[in-house]
Amino acid sequence: MLTKMLEDNAKIIISTGNVLNVNKKAGQKPTEELIDCLKATLTEPLTNLENAEIHRANDDLLDKINEHERNSIKIGAKLFLNTNSTEYLNEAVETVLQILGIKCLDNLILAYHPTTKNIEQADYTNLNGSLSNENSENTQNSHSKAKEPLEDVKKLWNCLEKYSVNKQICQLGISDLDPDSFAELHGNSKVHPTIAQINLSTCCVVPPALQEFCNKNDVQLLTHSDPEVILPDDILPNMGLSGYKPIWAVRYQVHVKCRGLLTAKGYIVATSRH
């Protein structure tokens, strides 16, 4: 079945299901965890030929979600996107809702890190506002390049806003924007981001300007340890998916509100044959 799916489909969705009882290694980095979860899924795959999806057999994800009333659990997700594509973004959101069997996500955080060669990610993700360029000409070029991904973020954000307006996502967040870029996105959006996530591995302390802005505008400030590229291109071929590369990934978590208990966690990865 899996072989036939790979032969017939240029794009495949892989859903790990609930991995809490599958991957019990402590202290793993996000990429290591994702790789182990994908390996577990592909070891005992359950294929859906109609939707070109690979699920893990004997998964209890839907049981964990449905054993509680919907208003008693909180379902959050983080979308890892390395390509400026509203098509991929829409596909990711719709796929998460479909696989989890829900009508609404409580929150979704967008992590957009373009890997296009002509965009310098260091300029985009520099949270403390400093520039490494030594001369004024390079500094001006740096500002120009830093603006490119921000304009992309605005377009992606406009796409996310419709899900908020349609009550399919209750709360929107953004990851790894510097204080000025976050303030600009906040000021130019119809649906303001209410979550700001920063990576303390690239920024030792929370930028004071960002903290002040979040306090004044009722924005929840969170930290994370996710890499910019959560699943490198060379991983899937080593798992038997020759010619396939990831195009987006989502990590979701399901918490029981009254106890703060994590009851389910998993990943969904979209792959494309190149």
Side-chain angles (χ1 to χ4, degrees):
M1 284 292 190
L2 180 56
T3 301
K4 178 174 175 54
M5 177 179 286
L6 296 178
E7 291 175 350
D8 294 347
N9 295 277
K11 183 183 291 185
I12 290 176
I13 302 292
I14 306 173
S15 172
T16 67
N18 179 27
V19 300
L20 289 183
N21 294 323
V22 176
N23 186 59
K24 297 183 179 180
K25 296 180 182 179
Q28 280 189 309
K29 294 180 179 179
T31 296
E32 294 171 341
E33 179 183 64
L34 175 54
I35 290 173
D36 280 353
C37 293
L38 290 174
K39 286 180 178 178
T41 302
L42 295 172
T43 298
E44 46 175 349
L46 183 64
T47 57
N48 182 329
L49 296 178
E50 182 179 352
N51 295 334
E53 294 176 356
I54 301 173
H55 298 259
R56 183 171 51 80
N58 304 312
D59 172 45
D60 64 351
L61 172 62
L62 295 182
D63 292 336
K64 289 296 184 181
I65 292 177
N66 294 326
E67 69 183 11
H68 302 279
E69 295 291 332
R70 179 62 183 91
N71 61 5
S72 69
I73 59 176
K74 181 178 181 180
I75 304 178
K78 184 171 183 178
L79 168 58
F80 299 89
L81 188 64
N82 299 111
T83 304
N84 177 25
S85 170
T86 55
E87 177 186 352
Y88 290 167
L89 187 148
N90 285 324
E91 180 185 66
V93 175
E94 298 292 345
T95 301
V96 171
L97 294 173
Q98 174 253 314
I99 287 180
L100 270 59
I102 58 176
K103 295 180 179 179
C104 173
L105 281 168
D106 290 279
N107 63 69
L108 183 137
I109 296 172
L110 173 64
Y112 172 62
H113 292 286
T115 54
T116 308
K117 291 182 180 180
N118 64 354
I119 296 176
E120 295 183 11
Q121 293 184 17
D123 296 329
Y124 173 52
T125 60
N126 189 355
L127 294 175
N128 61 16
S130 62
L131 295 170
S132 59
N133 305 56
E134 293 182 0
N135 57 58
S136 59
E137 181 180 354
N138 285 340
T139 300
Q140 291 174 355
N141 290 338
S142 174
H143 281 300
S144 175
K145 290 174 182 176
K147 283 294 182 181
E148 294 178 37
L150 180 58
E151 293 306 311
D152 294 345
V153 168
K154 289 179 181 178
K155 294 175 183 177
L156 295 169
W157 191 263
N158 287 340
C159 188
L160 279 177
E161 288 178 322
K162 71 180 182 183
Y163 291 102
S164 177
V165 171
N166 293 335
K167 298 182 179 180
Q168 292 175 286
I169 302 176
C170 298
Q171 191 178 16
L172 293 175
I174 190 77
S175 181
D176 301 330
L177 285 188
D178 63 80
D180 290 341
S181 296
F182 184 83
E184 185 172 339
L185 176 66
H186 190 279
N188 286 276
S189 57
K190 296 178 182 178
V191 179
H192 300 313
T194 55
I195 301 173
Q197 241 193 8
I198 62 171
N199 192 333
L200 287 183
S201 68
T202 59
C203 179
C204 298
V205 296
V206 177
L210 181 60
Q211 190 164 32
E212 180 181 1
F213 184 91
C214 291
N215 290 339
K216 288 182 177 180
N217 293 276
D218 196 25
V219 175
Q220 187 178 8
L221 187 57
L222 303 175
T223 60
H224 72 90
S225 59
D226 298 313
E228 294 183 3
V229 178
I230 194 167
L231 188 63
D233 288 347
D234 60 350
I235 298 298
L236 293 176
N238 294 327
M239 295 183 182
L241 300 180
S242 179
Y244 284 86
K245 293 182 180 181
I247 54 178
W248 55 260
V250 170
R251 180 179 61 223
Y252 57 84
Q253 295 182 328
V254 182
H255 287 89
V256 180
K257 289 181 180 178
C258 63
R259 292 176 289 169
L261 175 68
L262 179 63
T263 187
K265 175 183 180 180
Y267 294 88
I268 302 172
V269 176
T271 70
S272 178
R273 187 166 57 217
H274 291 265

